[in-house]
């Protein structure tokens, strides 16, 4: 009898373990949810993983790289099947990747590339192209004049990519003497306050400004606030990114010219599919559209396209795709 009991308990443990394997557990390390878009990223990612019978453990670092490191340690010690990281600081995140890989946990870099690390996959929007689109739109409206560039934090690889995109378009025009860059800086955080301070500094110097290109809508919003204080809002072109509600409202008001809308749902769904595939031991290479050199290896990647949103196409873009609801904009 004892032997039978023992046999059954062993069998139970086996079944439990087998059960665990069937339910992939994905760790999702986020920078912040203070900016609207990241809530959409999180919800779409969780939805898609759960649809495929997986579970997600979400951790939000509140933009603190040390907190993200500790959260990563927790998930690695818990032995999650895959780690998906939106890095706060790409150098600290490269350390996280090292720890994860030492424990054979695959890592997907989401939205922001983790350079110089052994990541397994990267899902994002083509950030250089996003920067080019912002600059192309504004220079089409104003092919001459004084431009201000407000870049995101340098701990985020996207900040460099966007800047590269801006300069791809602007540099030839600067060389011709058509455009002057009267202010250009990578700020510390992706927050409105940083955009405001940067813009205020430029305006306090007494510079005339024709156009502002900002890395995201929060920075653009801060810049608009500074322009308002100088009664310049609506007279200066402003480009942002992320299609935040406030930005869309500003576009309708005429204080912001464009934003770039990233296909968040598609990015998050793709990342979820890849995570589940990897967790099940399958190769996600059929999903990839590119390889990207992150300084360590050629990383299989999915890079989607952003879309410019201006006053004319709001309904055809963010509204028709369900990214924002009409009531949210006009309430
Ligand atoms: C960047 C991203 C932007 C914006 C920003 C702030 O990495 O490229 O689209 O979302 O983070 O959260």
């Amino acid at each position: 009898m004892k032997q039978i009991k023992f046999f059954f308990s062993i069998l139970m443990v086996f079944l439990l373990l087998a059960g665990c394997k069937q339910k992939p557990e994905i760790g999702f390390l986020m920078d912040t949810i203070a900016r609207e878009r990241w809530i959409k990223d999180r919800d779409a990612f969780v939805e898609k993983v759960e649809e495929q019978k997986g579970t997600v453990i979400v951790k939000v670092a509140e933009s603190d790289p040390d907190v993200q490191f500790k959260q990563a340690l927790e998930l690695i010690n818990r032995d999650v099947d895959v780690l998906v990281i939106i890095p706060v600081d790409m150098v600290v995140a490269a350390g996280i990747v090292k720890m994860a890989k030492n424990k054979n946990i695959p890592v997907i870099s989401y939205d922001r590339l983790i350079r110089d690390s052994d990541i397994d996959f990267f899902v994002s929007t083509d950030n250089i192209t996003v920067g080019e689109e912002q600059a192309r739109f504004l220079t089409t409206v104003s092919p001459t004049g004084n431009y201000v560039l407000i870049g995101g934090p340098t701990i985020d690889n996207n900040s460099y990519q966007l800047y590269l995109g801006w300069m791809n378009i602007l540099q030839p025009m600067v060389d011709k003497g058509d455009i002057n860059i009267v202010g250009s800086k990578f700020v510390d955080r992706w927050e409105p306050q940083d955009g405001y301070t940067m813009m205020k500094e430029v305006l306090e110097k007494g510079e005339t400004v024709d156009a502002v290109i900002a890395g995201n809508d929060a920075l653009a919003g801060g810049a608009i606030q500074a322009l308002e204080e100088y009664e310049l809002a609506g007279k200066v072109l402003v480009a942002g990114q992320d299609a935040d509600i406030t930005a869309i409202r500003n576009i309708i008001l005429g204080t912001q010219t464009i934003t770039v809308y990233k296909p968040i749902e598609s990015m998050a769904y793709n990342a979820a599919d890849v995570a589940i595939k990897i967790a099940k031991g399958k190769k996600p290479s059929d999903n990839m559209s590119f390889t990207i050199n992150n300084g360590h290896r050629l990383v299989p990647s999915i890079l989607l396209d952003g879309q410019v949103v201006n006053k004319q196409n709001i309904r055809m873009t963010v509204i028709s795709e369900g990214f924002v609801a009409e009531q949210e904009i006009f309430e």
Side-chain angles (χ1 to χ4, degrees), residues 180-300:
N180 294 317
I181 296 176
V182 292
S184 173
K185 192 171 168 179
F186 290 105
V187 298
D188 291 338
R189 299 160 313 153
W190 287 106
E191 298 292 322
Q193 183 61 44
D194 295 58
Y196 173 79
T197 312
M198 155 76 183
M199 194 63 215
K200 191 122 193 214
E201 272 168 26
V202 176
L203 294 168
E204 269 168 4
K205 277 196 224 143
E207 299 283 4
T208 331
V209 178
D210 298 292
V212 180
I213 312 182
N216 76 347
D217 284 336
L219 295 174
I224 292 168
Q225 198 192 326
L227 288 168
E228 264 157 12
E229 290 177 11
Y230 282 74
E231 291 180 12
L232 288 170
K235 297 178 187 150
V236 173
L237 304 177
V238 177
Q241 184 193 194
D242 284 345
D244 284 354
I245 297 290
T246 321
I248 295 175
R249 288 191 188 134
N250 285 342
I251 291 175
I252 291 164
L253 276 174
T255 51
Q256 183 163 335
T257 321
I258 56 157
T259 182
V260 175
Y261 154 57
K262 282 187 175 181
I264 301 283
E265 196 175 75
S266 182
M267 275 172 43
Y269 283 177
N270 271 293
D273 282 345
V274 170
I276 292 286
K277 263 200 183 158
I278 296 181
K280 290 186 173 166
K282 293 185 194 152
K283 281 220 149 41
S285 41
D286 338 329
N287 294 47
M288 80 178 188
S289 47
F290 291 95
T291 52
I292 302 248
N293 188 341
N294 78 336
H296 173 81
R297 60 173 299 218
L298 289 177
V299 184

Side-chain angles (χ1 to χ4, degrees), residues 37-38 111-112 127 156 158 190 216 241-242 262:
R37 63 153 289 196
W38 295 116
D111 192 79
R112 306 169 176 170
N127 291 286
D156 179 342
N158 286 351
W190 287 106
N216 76 347
Q241 184 193 194
D242 284 345
K262 282 187 175 181

Side-chain angles (χ1 to χ4, degrees), residues 35-51:
R35 309 257 62 82
E36 236 165 85
R37 63 153 289 196
W38 295 116
I39 297 175
K40 293 191 164 92
D41 290 84
R42 179 199 61 195
D43 292 351
F45 183 82
V46 171
E47 177 203 318
K48 198 65 176 179
V49 168
E50 288 179 351
E51 201 181 288

